[in-house]
Amino acid sequence: MIRVSNIKLPLDHDEQALTNAILTTLDITADQLTAVEIRRRGYDARKKNTIFLIYTLDIDTTINDALLAKHVGNQSIRLTPDMEYKFVAQAPTDLQERPLVIGFGPCGLLTGLVLAQMGYKPLIIERGKAVRERTKDTFGFWRQKKLNPESNVQFGEGGAGTFSDGKLSTQIKDPKQYGRKVLTEFVEAGAPEEIMYVSKPHIGTFRLVSMVEKMRAKIIEMGGEIRFSARVDDLHIEDGQLTGVTLANGEVIHSKHVALAIGHSARDTFQMLLDKGVYMEAKPFSVGFRIEHEQSLIDRARFGKNAGHPILGAADYKLVHHCKSGRSVYSFCMCPGGTVVAASSEEGRVVTNGMSQYSRQERNANSAIVVGIDPSDYPGNPLAGMDFQRQLESNAYLMGGENYDAPAQKVGDFLKGKSSEALGDVQPSFKPGIKLTDLSKALPDFCIEAIREAIPEFNKQIKGFAKDDALLTGVETRTSSPVSIKRGYDMQSINTRGLYPAGEGAGYAGGIMSAAIDGIKIAEAIAMSINAQQASQS
């Protein structure tokens, strides 16, 4: 097939307009065009009252070779790349070792799935519960303020991404088309087919729940095994080689190939790894607040008269401001038509996150407004950033009333430096609830100053962003892992052979898609290592 990019059409074009654009671009006749597949559809909303759709298409014609020869060097008209995923290995018929996967979020899920598809029958260990039980615990926390430290937004089948917007976009380079492998598996598990081509694909929490269950069943059908409520408390290391793990119940599991896909909030596991001598470093991350506006305000600001168009859906945004101090403030994990959710995983601490359903039909838009920080802001050992997060979360718990309500403040009051006493037009979506206060006490002064400088600048891009009644809720601390567990070219820990640090928790991903892609890479590395070791022993 031939890939044709940058086909630009009005927002409300008819079906024939797309065909006509292809014929004009390639200078061919209708009878020469035999097939058309939409590979990507985005939009150009720089002029909000004149929005265009931008297509990338894969087409077939009766004269493919001649067209490719005619357009040599034109990157907008080229041969469609091979997008089929190809397994790098197959398990030996006399497989002598079963690989172990720790964690069953997006990274662990794809690691386990690809290993199972190659015949390695992985054993997957997840400290939390199966996704439906976990959902009950999470909603119970939001409604009744009863936190289960082992089953919550952070821990359990599906990972932290289950309670999010389910965004599937990523900015990482993907020359091997791993992302398409991920999307294909998601669609087969029940995700909407449009995620294969829309420019900003998302799924939403409720759909993710059933998808994860189907993918788990697929792994089990191919010989894999998943154990829930099974926390890893110790590693067995002999002369730099990992030989197995001990679970919280005392069970020992032997394996020399262990994928570590624990996510960014497994703080007790980070401590255990450090105690065992696994090499890691503190890394930069970001902290801040969630901000809420009426979704209708964001729609009008981004899409003008086209607000509410079914193709465009609920509007999102991506903002960044470089402060006079040299700090950067940016929007993170924007959730159109969603809610701010309690994301605590430790007792006596308050953490916020954002979540949307597939429909994105809730009243408010929310995103994190966060400030970039680095290890110089929290000097100490490799876990100093984790301790810094904990301090902020414990302080937020106190400010919220010591009952898991979150401290909150209207934007106008925050900018003026005075405590909020009453809500305005924007009603909080955070559950369990909020307590109005002065958020200047929730973060270090340099963060507060940076956010106060950034919000008026963001208002220049989105009119109404700095409106007095918009609401800030704190604190957002789990933007990414506070540590980097270093690995080499073979994907193994640089000082612990057999340990494969993976995904967000190890510092190699940021979001569902990049974590899932990293999971595929880890599965491939484990498979090739097992085969090489087994071949050398035979």
Side-chain angles (χ1 to χ4, degrees):
M1 300 186 82
I2 298 175
R3 177 155 295 177
V4 181
S5 307
N6 299 318
I7 297 289
K8 185 175 182 179
L9 293 171
L11 179 60
D12 287 312
H13 72 81
D14 59 25
E15 187 174 347
Q16 186 59 42
L18 186 59
T19 300
N20 291 342
I22 296 169
L23 300 180
T24 300
T25 300
L26 296 178
D27 190 21
I28 60 175
T29 60
D31 61 323
Q32 291 174 316
L33 180 64
T34 57
V36 177
E37 295 180 14
I38 298 175
R39 189 56 57 211
R40 186 178 185 275
R41 187 189 69 203
Y43 58 79
D44 181 350
R46 287 174 293 180
K47 295 181 179 179
K48 60 188 177 183
N49 290 320
T50 309
I51 296 176
F52 290 92
L53 298 179
I54 311 296
Y55 289 91
T56 296
L57 308 168
D58 284 339
I59 69 168
D60 248 339
T61 74
T62 58
I63 54 169
N64 283 1
D65 291 343
L67 288 172
L68 290 170
K70 179 179 178 180
H71 295 281
V72 169
N74 184 348
Q75 289 301 304
S76 294
I77 303 173
R78 56 193 177 93
L79 183 68
T80 298
D82 183 0
M83 295 176 290
E84 183 180 358
Y85 179 73
K86 296 175 176 60
F87 295 104
V88 299
Q90 194 66 32
T93 54
D94 61 339
L95 182 65
Q96 297 170 11
E97 178 191 329
R98 194 177 197 184
L100 177 64
V101 180
I102 303 174
F104 204 38
C107 182
L109 179 62
L110 266 294
T111 301
L113 178 62
V114 172
L115 282 170
Q117 289 172 332
M118 292 189 288
Y120 290 90
K121 301 179 180 180
L123 172 58
I124 301 168
I125 302 297
E126 167 57 51
R127 68 186 294 168
K129 296 181 181 180
V131 68
R132 289 197 184 271
E133 296 176 66
R134 174 197 181 197
T135 300
K136 291 178 183 178
D137 290 337
T138 300
F139 278 78
F141 172 52
W142 294 345
R143 293 166 181 161
Q144 302 172 5
K145 304 184 181 182
K146 295 180 180 179
L147 174 67
N148 183 338
E150 296 294 335
S151 180
N152 47 62
V153 167
Q154 309 295 349
F155 299 144
E157 183 181 24
T162 303
F163 299 97
S164 70
D165 187 44
K167 286 180 282 291
L168 301 177
S169 53
T170 180
Q171 297 181 11
I172 66 171
K173 295 180 179 179
D174 187 21
K176 294 186 178 181
Q177 304 285 335
Y178 289 132
R180 187 165 182 82
K181 165 68 171 173
V182 175
L183 294 178
T184 299
E185 294 292 349
F186 284 174
V187 169
E188 289 182 3
E193 290 192 11
E194 69 173 29
I195 68 171
M196 300 297 295
Y197 62 85
V198 295
S199 60
K200 298 177 180 180
H202 73 282
I203 298 175
T205 291
F206 288 160
R207 290 195 180 212
L208 277 167
V209 168
S210 60
M211 284 170 48
V212 167
E213 288 182 319
K214 290 178 182 177
M215 295 177 76
R216 180 218 307 166
K218 191 172 182 179
I219 292 171
I220 294 171
E221 183 181 352
M222 292 182 289
E225 179 184 351
I226 297 96
R227 297 190 194 177
F228 296 108
S229 300
R231 190 182 69 240
V232 173
D233 278 0
D234 196 13
L235 301 183
H236 299 264
I237 304 171
E238 298 176 8
D239 296 325
Q241 171 66 56
L242 182 66
T243 60
V245 304
T246 298
L247 305 184
N249 64 3
E251 180 184 359
V252 175
I253 300 174
H254 297 285
S255 179
K256 292 184 178 180
H257 291 86
V258 179
L260 185 72
I262 56 176
H264 58 40
S265 294
R267 291 166 169 171
D268 48 3
T269 307
F270 289 149
Q271 184 66 60
M272 180 271 289
L273 293 167
L274 184 65
D275 292 343
K276 297 299 292 189
V278 175
Y279 184 81
M280 63 179 71
E281 298 175 353
K283 63 174 278 293
F285 58 99
S286 301
V287 297
F289 305 124
R290 279 273 152 184
I291 191 167
E292 288 190 89
H293 302 86
E294 303 100 324
Q295 181 63 47
S296 58
L297 180 151
I298 305 300
D299 289 344
R300 291 192 301 271
R302 293 280 285 114
F303 296 148
K305 69 179 183 180
N306 294 299
H309 194 287
I311 287 182
L312 299 175
D316 63 4
Y317 57 78
K318 187 174 183 180
L319 303 168
V320 63
H321 173 65
H322 301 289
C323 298
K324 297 173 184 177
S325 65
R327 304 255 178 201
S328 292
V329 181
Y330 61 97
S331 61
F332 171 79
C333 186
M334 195 274 161
C335 297
T339 56
V340 181
V341 300
S344 300
S345 58
E346 296 177 325
E347 294 180 349
R349 297 190 170 99
V350 165
V351 185
T352 64
N353 196 5
M355 184 179 85
S356 296
Q357 300 301 343
Y358 177 71
S359 62
R360 292 178 166 175
Q361 289 183 346
E362 299 294 333
R363 179 179 178 181
N364 290 352
N366 77 79
S367 75
I369 300 299
V370 293
V371 183
I373 58 176
D374 63 47
S376 66
D377 295 310
Y378 44 88
N381 69 26
L383 299 185
M386 184 182 80
D387 295 335
F388 181 76
Q389 290 174 326
R390 278 176 162 159
Q391 292 170 9
L392 297 180
E393 294 163 13
S394 295
N395 185 43
Y397 180 76
L398 294 173
M399 292 179 67
E402 300 182 62
N403 62 357
Y404 294 107
D405 285 349
Q409 186 177 18
K410 291 193 295 185
V411 165
D413 293 334
F414 174 76
L415 295 177
K416 295 171 186 173
K418 67 175 187 177
S419 181
S420 291
E421 297 180 356
L423 293 168
D425 294 339
V426 179
Q427 295 299 304
S429 61
F430 183 87
K431 303 295 182 186
I434 60 132
K435 179 181 179 181
L436 290 173
T437 185
D438 179 3
L439 285 178
S440 67
K441 302 173 184 177
L443 296 175
D445 289 344
F446 67 82
C447 292
I448 298 298
E449 293 170 5
I451 295 173
R452 281 180 174 157
E453 180 182 326
I455 288 177
E457 294 300 315
F458 293 159
N459 194 70
K460 296 176 182 178
Q461 300 178 56
I462 298 179
K463 187 177 181 181
F465 196 87
K467 67 176 288 184
D468 286 350
D469 288 350
L471 192 67
L472 293 168
T473 306
V475 287
E476 182 94 4
T477 55
R478 312 284 181 92
T479 53
S480 65
S481 178
V483 301
S484 174
I485 306 173
K486 294 297 184 180
R487 69 191 187 194
Y489 71 93
D490 58 1
M491 311 296 274
Q492 299 182 58
S493 161
I494 61 172
N495 75 334
T496 309
R497 297 187 306 279
L499 184 67
Y500 294 76
E504 282 206 45
Y508 293 99
I512 292 173
M513 275 299 288
S514 58
I517 289 170
D518 201 54
I520 296 175
K521 295 177 182 178
I522 292 294
E524 292 180 343
I526 288 175
M528 290 188 288
S529 177
I530 289 175
N531 284 14
Q533 288 187 18
Q534 195 158 324
S536 67
Q537 296 168 3
S538 60

Coordinates of all heavy atoms in Angstrom, one line a residue, residues 40-72:
R40 N -4.5 7.7 10.3 CA -4.5 8.7 11.4 C -5.4 9.9 11.0 O -5.5 10.3 9.9 CB -3.1 9.2 11.7 CG -3.0 10.1 12.9 CD -1.6 10.6 13.1 NE -1.4 11.4 14.3 CZ -1.5 12.7 14.4 NH1 -1.9 13.3 13.3 NH2 -1.3 13.3 15.5
R41 N -6.2 10.4 12.0 CA -7.0 11.6 11.8 C -6.8 12.5 13.0 O -7.1 12.2 14.1 CB -8.5 11.2 11.7 CG -9.4 12.4 11.3 CD -10.9 12.1 11.4 NE -11.2 12.0 12.8 CZ -12.3 11.3 13.2 NH1 -13.1 10.6 12.4 NH2 -12.6 11.2 14.5
G42 N -6.3 13.6 12.7 CA -6.1 14.7 13.7 C -6.8 15.9 13.3 O -7.6 15.9 12.3
Y43 N -6.6 17.0 14.0 CA -7.2 18.3 13.6 C -6.3 19.4 13.8 O -5.4 19.4 14.7 CB -8.5 18.5 14.3 CG -8.5 18.5 15.8 CD1 -8.0 19.6 16.5 CD2 -8.9 17.4 16.6 CE1 -8.0 19.7 17.9 CE2 -8.8 17.4 18.0 CZ -8.3 18.6 18.6 OH -8.3 18.6 20.0
D44 N -6.5 20.5 13.1 CA -5.7 21.7 13.2 C -6.7 22.8 13.7 O -7.6 23.2 13.0 CB -5.2 22.1 11.8 CG -4.4 23.4 11.9 OD1 -4.4 24.1 12.9 OD2 -3.7 23.7 10.9
A45 N -6.6 23.2 15.0 CA -7.5 24.1 15.6 C -6.8 25.4 15.9 O -7.2 26.1 16.8 CB -8.1 23.5 16.9
R46 N -5.7 25.7 15.2 CA -5.0 27.0 15.5 C -5.9 28.2 15.2 O -5.9 29.2 15.9 CB -3.8 27.1 14.7 CG -2.6 26.1 15.2 CD -1.5 26.1 14.2 NE -1.8 25.5 12.9 CZ -0.9 25.4 11.9 NH1 0.3 25.9 12.1 NH2 -1.2 24.8 10.8
K47 N -6.8 28.1 14.2 CA -7.9 29.0 14.0 C -9.2 28.4 14.4 O -9.8 27.6 13.7 CB -7.9 29.5 12.5 CG -6.7 30.2 12.1 CD -6.8 30.6 10.6 CE -5.5 31.4 10.2 NZ -5.6 31.8 8.7
K48 N -9.6 28.7 15.7 CA -10.7 27.9 16.3 C -12.0 27.9 15.5 O -12.8 27.0 15.7 CB -10.8 28.3 17.7 CG -11.2 29.7 18.0 CD -11.2 30.0 19.4 CE -11.5 31.5 19.7 NZ -11.3 31.8 21.2
N49 N -12.2 29.0 14.8 CA -13.5 29.1 14.1 C -13.4 28.5 12.6 O -14.4 28.4 11.9 CB -14.0 30.5 14.0 CG -14.5 31.0 15.4 OD1 -15.1 30.2 16.1 ND2 -14.1 32.2 15.7
T50 N -12.2 28.1 12.3 CA -12.0 27.4 11.0 C -11.1 26.2 11.2 O -9.9 26.3 11.0 CB -11.4 28.4 9.9 OG1 -12.1 29.6 9.9 CG2 -11.3 27.7 8.5
I51 N -11.7 25.1 11.7 CA -10.9 23.9 12.0 C -10.8 23.0 10.9 O -11.9 22.7 10.2 CB -11.5 23.3 13.3 CG1 -11.4 24.2 14.5 CG2 -10.8 21.9 13.6 CD1 -12.1 23.7 15.7
F52 N -9.7 22.4 10.6 CA -9.5 21.4 9.6 C -9.1 20.1 10.2 O -8.5 20.0 11.2 CB -8.4 21.9 8.6 CG -8.7 23.1 7.8 CD1 -8.4 24.4 8.2 CD2 -9.3 22.9 6.6 CE1 -8.7 25.4 7.4 CE2 -9.7 24.0 5.8 CZ -9.4 25.3 6.2
L53 N -9.5 19.0 9.5 CA -9.1 17.7 9.8 C -7.9 17.3 8.9 O -7.8 17.7 7.8 CB -10.2 16.7 9.5 CG -11.5 16.8 10.3 CD1 -12.5 15.8 9.9 CD2 -11.2 16.7 11.8
I54 N -6.9 16.6 9.5 CA -5.7 16.3 8.9 C -5.6 14.7 8.8 O -5.6 14.1 9.9 CB -4.4 16.8 9.6 CG1 -4.6 18.3 9.8 CG2 -3.2 16.6 8.7 CD1 -4.7 19.2 8.6
Y55 N -5.5 14.2 7.6 CA -5.6 12.7 7.5 C -4.2 12.2 7.1 O -3.5 12.8 6.3 CB -6.6 12.3 6.4 CG -8.0 12.5 6.8 CD1 -8.7 13.6 6.6 CD2 -8.7 11.4 7.5 CE1 -10.0 13.8 6.9 CE2 -10.1 11.6 7.8 CZ -10.7 12.8 7.5 OH -12.0 12.9 7.9
T56 N -3.9 11.0 7.6 CA -2.9 10.1 7.0 C -3.6 8.8 6.5 O -4.3 8.2 7.3 CB -1.8 9.8 8.0 OG1 -1.1 11.0 8.4 CG2 -0.8 8.8 7.4
L57 N -3.4 8.4 5.3 CA -4.2 7.3 4.7 C -3.2 6.3 4.1 O -2.1 6.6 3.6 CB -5.1 7.9 3.6 CG -6.0 9.1 3.9 CD1 -6.5 9.6 2.6 CD2 -7.1 8.6 4.9
D58 N -3.6 5.0 4.2 CA -3.0 4.0 3.5 C -3.9 3.6 2.3 O -5.1 3.2 2.6 CB -2.7 2.8 4.4 CG -1.5 3.0 5.3 OD1 -0.7 3.9 5.0 OD2 -1.4 2.4 6.3
I59 N -3.5 3.6 1.1 CA -4.3 3.4 0.0 C -3.7 2.3 -1.0 O -2.5 2.1 -1.0 CB -4.6 4.7 -0.8 CG1 -3.3 5.2 -1.5 CG2 -5.2 5.7 0.1 CD1 -3.6 6.3 -2.5
D60 N -4.5 1.7 -1.7 CA -4.1 0.8 -2.8 C -4.6 1.3 -4.1 O -5.7 1.8 -4.2 CB -4.6 -0.6 -2.6 CG -3.5 -1.6 -2.2 OD1 -2.4 -1.3 -2.6 OD2 -3.8 -2.6 -1.6
T61 N -3.8 1.2 -5.1 CA -4.2 1.6 -6.5 C -3.8 0.5 -7.5 O -3.0 -0.4 -7.1 CB -3.6 2.9 -6.9 OG1 -2.2 2.7 -7.2 CG2 -3.7 4.0 -5.9
T62 N -4.2 0.6 -8.7 CA -3.7 -0.3 -9.7 C -2.4 0.0 -10.3 O -1.8 -0.7 -11.0 CB -4.7 -0.3 -10.9 OG1 -4.8 1.0 -11.4 CG2 -6.1 -0.8 -10.4
I63 N -1.8 1.2 -9.8 CA -0.5 1.6 -10.3 C 0.4 2.0 -9.2 O 1.2 3.0 -9.3 CB -0.7 2.8 -11.3 CG1 -1.5 3.9 -10.7 CG2 -1.3 2.3 -12.6 CD1 -1.4 5.2 -11.5
N64 N 0.5 1.2 -8.1 CA 1.3 1.6 -6.9 C 2.8 1.9 -7.3 O 3.4 2.8 -6.9 CB 1.2 0.5 -5.9 CG -0.1 0.5 -5.1 OD1 -0.9 1.4 -5.3 ND2 -0.2 -0.4 -4.2
D65 N 3.4 1.0 -8.0 CA 4.8 1.1 -8.3 C 5.1 2.4 -9.1 O 6.1 3.1 -8.9 CB 5.3 -0.1 -9.1 CG 5.3 -1.4 -8.3 OD1 5.2 -1.3 -7.1 OD2 5.3 -2.5 -8.9
A66 N 4.2 2.7 -10.1 CA 4.4 3.9 -10.9 C 4.3 5.1 -10.0 O 5.1 6.1 -10.1 CB 3.4 3.9 -12.0
L67 N 3.3 5.1 -9.1 CA 3.1 6.3 -8.2 C 4.3 6.5 -7.3 O 4.8 7.6 -7.0 CB 1.9 6.1 -7.4 CG 0.6 6.3 -8.2 CD1 -0.6 5.9 -7.3 CD2 0.4 7.8 -8.6
L68 N 4.8 5.4 -6.7 CA 6.0 5.5 -5.8 C 7.2 6.0 -6.6 O 8.0 6.8 -6.1 CB 6.3 4.1 -5.2 CG 5.2 3.6 -4.1 CD1 5.5 2.2 -3.8 CD2 5.3 4.5 -2.9
A69 N 7.4 5.5 -7.8 CA 8.5 6.0 -8.6 C 8.4 7.5 -8.9 O 9.4 8.2 -8.9 CB 8.6 5.2 -9.9
K70 N 7.2 7.9 -9.2 CA 6.9 9.3 -9.5 C 7.2 10.2 -8.3 O 7.6 11.4 -8.5 CB 5.5 9.5 -10.0 CG 5.1 10.9 -10.3 CD 3.6 10.9 -10.8 CE 3.1 12.3 -11.1 NZ 1.7 12.4 -11.5
H71 N 7.0 9.7 -7.1 CA 7.1 10.6 -5.9 C 8.3 10.2 -5.0 O 8.2 10.4 -3.8 CB 5.8 10.5 -5.1 CG 4.6 11.1 -5.8 ND1 4.3 12.4 -5.9 CD2 3.6 10.5 -6.5 CE1 3.2 12.6 -6.6 NE2 2.7 11.4 -7.0
V72 N 9.3 9.7 -5.6 CA 10.5 9.4 -4.8 C 11.0 10.6 -4.1 O 11.1 11.7 -4.7 CB 11.6 8.8 -5.8 CG1 12.9 8.7 -5.0 CG2 11.2 7.5 -6.3

